[in-house]
Amino acid sequence: MDYVIEMLNITKAFPGIIANDDVTLRLRKGEIHALLGENGAGKSTLMSILFGLHQADKGEIKKNGKVVEINNPNDANNLGIGMVHQHFQLVEIFTVLENIILGVEPNKYGFLQKKEAREKLLKLSENYGLQIDLDALIEDIPVGMQQRVEILKMLYRDNEILIFDEPTAVLTPQEIEELMNIMRGFAKEGKSILFITHKLNEIMAVADRCTVLQKGKWKGTVDIKETTKEELSWMMVGRDVKFSVEKESPKIGNVVLSVENVTVKSKESAQDVVKDVSFNVRAGEIVCIAGVEGNGQTELINVITGLEKVSRGKISLNETDITRMSIRNRSKLGISHIPEDRHKHGLVLDYSLEKNLVLQRYWQEGFQKKGFIKKNVVRNYATELISKYDIRSGEGPKTIVRGMSGGNQQKAIIARKLDKECELLVAVQPTRGLDVGAIEFIHERIVNTRDKGKAVLLMSLELDEVMNLSDRILVIYEGEIVGELNPKTTSVEELGLYMAGSKKDKREGDEHAKLKK
Amino acid sequence: MQNSKNNFSASMKKITKSKWLSSFSATLLAISLGLIFGLIVMVVASPTDSFSGFGMMLFGGFSRLGNVFYFATPILMTGLSVGFAFKMGLFNIGASGQYTMGLFFALYVGIMFNLPSGIHWIVCIIAGLIGGMIWGFIPGLLKSLMNVNEVITSIMTNYIGMYLVDMLIRNNGKMFVSSKARTAYIPATAQLPSLGVTDSNVNIAIILATLIAIILYIVLYKTTFGYELMATGHNKHASHYAGINYKRNTILTMVIAGGLSGLGGAFAILAPSNIPGSSMTYEPINIIAANGFNGIAVALLGNSHPIGIIFSSLFISHIQRGGTRASLFGYKPEIIDVVIAVIIYFSAFALVMSSAIGVVIKKRKERKAEAVNTVKEIEEA
Ligand SMILES: Nc1ncnc2c1ncn2[C@@H]1O[C@H](COP(=O)(O)OP(=O)(O)OP(=O)(O)O)[C@@H](O)[C@H]1O
Ligand SMILES: [Mg+2]
């Protein structure tokens, strides 16, 4: 057969868990092969084994029919295998070019020959339509571009087998479309692609075949032409999954969050990134801020949660002015926040799961007494959250978070936030990286929070999620709110037009803000 | 029968799995590497006597255990200081200046004040604590207010502290005995109670220092403050986001670290000793206190863990004692210093690099074995 890569009977265990249990995966030349499975099913582990980051305990890997040893990423690279990781592996303070050549620096007598590299890269980026500024620093460029850097890294090394671990989780819909086209182009050229995603639509759109894992075991490999979304999700979770959210019409109460004429200055330039924005979120409704990345929504959320400061305007929660309040006090007043960047803000990766689960409440009476942390209370509380939110890991509350799968890390953050009694829930990309089953569950919980009479402010790049979950959509474009839409009477296309800035409503101040006065 | 065997192997596995053991074995490996390099230096310096000299270095300390404890006390304190700050991600290179400040404050109260015995030495210790705290406060404040790197400010405070102390002493007629170019001796009331071990200078300070290490362990691992501190050390952004007050904690940590070093200085100067010039008096000769820098090595070798630091300070003190006795075999003091430095810093360095060397391979093997075991266990269950 013409398999480029065969991973045969791979078994890999971590303390307390078998991440891959006798898994076999065969990759054809020139195909796009999707890998699907619940959070913690072992997808990243399997791919890390192929890329040489982990070694299998049992089983073998063949390339073009010959058994190969892959002990480290260098071996993988020599075999033409490249990988874009779930969490990017870039040096923040290096330029794009420096990052790409890192490890394979072209040199003459030990001196860097950047010019050669630059020429090759320019050609590559032109050939594949991967636009990039080679001299920008990684820390200054958005995630979508960082991903292009990771892709160019593989191309620069002439890799023929490309592994993408959840590449679309961090991208906007437009960028996803672009990436899928690029992947199709690769496949046409004869490169073979392994593609991990939780989004079934993407698999249906781009993949040739799909292998499903369940709790570390191989569940089946199917031809995409002969399957449906429903069948795939059934194979993966073993039950039917609802793709739309069921919710009753909202019972709207008083204004909980009020944002009045808020302006935020950009950290880099002298320009304002949020311009004189006013809106309200009331008890019992889910309001979504929709917009293309980089239009000020991140900053807007940050000033509400206290991560950034406003330059003008006023923010209040239940009529209390919180504009200059500390994060801890906002949290005490009832703001709960699911952050965008889970590794940066959400977790202390080297702490255990239980310690992370109390990160926002270890100081509360009950969890501590006179400054001493009550270990048993923390342990019991963590165990409860773990079972309630189905957080899967090797060693339960004691697991170090760094070793948990991406989706389960996200679940830990969500569990911590949703479990807290709050007045206002600010959820930024809450379901990023979660499997369909978990998304269904989290959506239920968010709707539940709303039905308990709490206010919910949502930010998501996922248009389906925006349309499904929210009661009201505020579209932000270039730092201004350009439209207020009702998801029931608006189409996705219309929303897209607003987000792209080609449609605008004149808003003479927010009507709800007026109501209050 | 079968059952008890299983139990035994399970409990063995627990022991080998424990994190404590793996970091302990990494430390041993690092120390062995350090010793090998020390031996190499000795062989190069004087091949004939190298093995007997090296033997003395390794074991000579045992016949002077009291003094091993005596000399371990100050570096235990500076080690705790560096290690504590490091838990929050701060590099307290200023231990030396804080140590000198603590020493000066204790000396000042010792010589200038007339207090009844039983109280005098306690007041001196407290003065030393305060001196160190002030000197730790400065870099802490600058870091939290203006985000000035604590490494830079604490290098400066090291020099400022040392010159300031030397100047203050020289200008103080009562403290400074110009004919001897050193300070007067502190009175007996200000000296720490000796533990009464014959032929040694061991005093109550080693007990106090050990108690302080245990308290620090409790603070770090059992309290909310320690939780915040280490969370900040691991991930600054996440802890800021969780509402932890970074600025307050930075100042607090540096003040505590400074206080620990200051206590080290006080313990050193207040100790009653029969080794001339080693305590009770101070020579203002513009030299930065080595005990401060040795604290860095102690902290590295003890993995910044308060309990680990107790042992690493004893080890380093032991090697130093043995080293001084190696001069019996004709090694010049400079060579001995070089060998000691090689052993200390190589061990500490090897530990830091342990992720990059041998240990990785070892761990990988362990992992594999462990994984196979886990598979078996799970399959059995
Ligand atoms: N380095 C590690 N140390 C310990 N356990 C690990 C490690 N890496 C993965 N695991 C465990 O192996 C299991 C599989 O993890 P993996 O990351 O492969 O899942 P995944 O399928 O990629 O999930 P997700 O969709 O959430 O990314 C998880 O339960 C995880 O806790
Ligand atoms: Mg994964």
Side-chain angles (χ1 to χ4, degrees), chain A residues 11 13-18 21 55-58 71 306-307 327-328 337-339 343-351 355-356 358-360 362-363 368 371-373 375 400 416-417, chain B residues 17 19 218-245 247 249 364 367-372 374-376 378-379:
Chain A
T11 295
F14 290 113
I17 197 162
I18 305 182
D21 189 354
Q55 276 69 46
D57 303 326
K58 288 190 210 146
N71 286 322
L307 279 172
I327 298 178
R328 172 72 53 89
H337 175 206
I338 297 171
H343 276 184
K344 190 168 173 192
H345 292 129
L347 297 164
V348 179
L349 287 174
D350 293 310
Y351 263 8
K355 279 188 172 177
N356 270 287
V358 295
L359 195 57
Q360 246 109 5
Y362 63 90
W363 42 269
Q368 56 98 12
F372 282 83
I373 291 185
K375 230 177 152 177
I400 299 296
R416 189 169 79 201
K417 295 309 156 74
Chain B
K17 256 186 202 168
K19 248 201 293 183
I218 294 171
V219 168
L220 279 174
Y221 290 89
K222 309 282 176 196
T223 68
T224 51
F225 176 60
Y227 174 97
E228 291 187 352
L229 202 115
M230 295 207 289
T232 312
H234 285 309
N235 185 348
K236 206 167 124 179
H237 300 288
S239 30
H240 170 62
Y241 162 82
I244 292 173
N245 193 332
K247 293 185 169 171
N249 283 357
R364 190 180 281 174
R367 270 265 168 87
K368 224 169 195 169
E370 207 172 76
V372 173
T374 323
V375 175
K376 273 193 207 135
I378 295 175
E379 272 168 2

Side-chain angles (χ1 to χ4, degrees), chain B residues 14-30 303 351 354 359 362-363 366 370:
Chain B
K14 234 180 220 159
I15 294 173
T16 46
K17 256 186 202 168
S18 79
K19 248 201 293 183
W20 183 81
L21 196 87
S22 83
S23 76
F24 187 69
S25 59
T27 310
L28 284 187
L29 188 80
N303 221 346
L351 190 65
S354 69
V359 181
K362 210 177 113 245
K363 267 203 186 135
E366 268 174 20
E370 207 172 76

Side-chain angles (χ1 to χ4, degrees), chain A residues 406-419:
Chain A
N408 282 300
Q409 292 178 349
Q410 177 74 358
K411 282 196 213 166
I413 298 177
I414 295 179
R416 189 169 79 201
K417 295 309 156 74
L418 286 186
D419 198 69

Side-chain angles (χ1 to χ4, degrees), chain A residues 136-178:
Chain A
L137 293 181
I138 296 295
E139 57 184 3
D140 295 337
I141 61 177
V143 277
M145 201 182 288
Q146 291 185 8
Q147 186 165 67
R148 265 174 258 158
V149 177
E150 290 275 20
I151 297 174
L152 274 171
K153 228 160 118 180
M154 299 194 294
L155 296 176
Y156 182 78
R157 286 162 173 71
D158 301 317
N159 292 150
E160 287 292 316
I161 294 136
L162 313 178
I163 307 169
F164 290 87
D165 192 352
E166 291 192 38
T168 57
V170 291
L171 300 184
T172 61
Q174 295 81 352
E175 288 170 325
I176 292 176
E177 202 50 53
E178 226 171 89

